[in-house]
Amino acid sequence: MANTETSLKEALTSIEGATGVALVDYTSGMALGTLGGSKTFDLGVAAAGNTDVVRSKLRTMEHLGLKGEIEDILITLSSQYHLIRLIKGRGGNGLFLYLVLDSARANLAMARHQLKKIEADLEV
């Protein structure tokens, strides 16, 4: 089991093309930890904004009567991938990992695989 800081560092250093990562509470919109980002890309603002994405998808699933769980949500931009992975088990209810990738350097399939492993090892 890894703590938040260790997990965020592992995501940023081991996932090719990663430029930022955050652990976010989607009930409050607060980032519980961030690593990376830049002067022009505020991870705290991005984390708060993506809570709306998660809440909206959960509401839509409820209205449609869908019983499955969200594994991850992918948003593709012209130069970035934004990957949202909901945390399951061990007190992770209401939390998600948010990963920003440079699309020119990232392998999306590998990033999803590695983020899933990091999520499984995360102790919240």
Side-chain angles (χ1 to χ4, degrees):
M1 300 287 169
N3 68 21
T4 301
E5 184 179 331
T6 302
S7 294
L8 295 179
K9 186 174 182 180
E10 181 181 350
L12 196 61
T13 58
S14 71
I15 299 176
E16 185 70 29
T19 61
V21 63
L23 177 64
V24 185
D25 178 344
Y26 66 80
T27 58
S28 68
M30 297 292 296
L32 305 177
T34 63
L35 197 57
S38 67
K39 289 182 181 180
T40 59
F41 191 89
D42 185 329
L43 275 169
V45 172
N50 280 297
T51 61
D52 293 333
V53 172
V54 172
R55 291 177 192 157
S56 178
K57 187 58 187 173
L58 290 170
R59 264 193 319 275
T60 301
M61 289 176 64
E62 183 180 335
H63 291 309
L64 292 171
L66 298 177
K67 302 296 181 202
E69 294 181 339
I70 297 172
E71 288 185 20
D72 52 39
I73 298 169
L74 171 64
I75 300 168
T76 59
L77 304 177
S78 59
S79 63
Q80 295 177 331
Y81 299 131
H82 294 231
L83 190 56
I84 298 167
R85 176 142 190 107
L86 275 66
I87 307 282
K88 295 173 185 59
R90 294 188 313 279
N93 195 26
L95 301 178
F96 67 87
L97 283 166
Y98 171 59
L99 180 67
V100 181
L101 299 158
D102 176 345
S103 62
R105 297 185 302 124
N107 177 323
L108 187 55
M110 283 303 298
R112 288 184 69 220
H113 176 74
Q114 289 173 283
L115 195 60
K116 182 178 182 178
K117 181 183 178 307
I118 290 166
E119 180 256 332
D121 292 340
L122 178 65
E123 184 175 308
V124 227

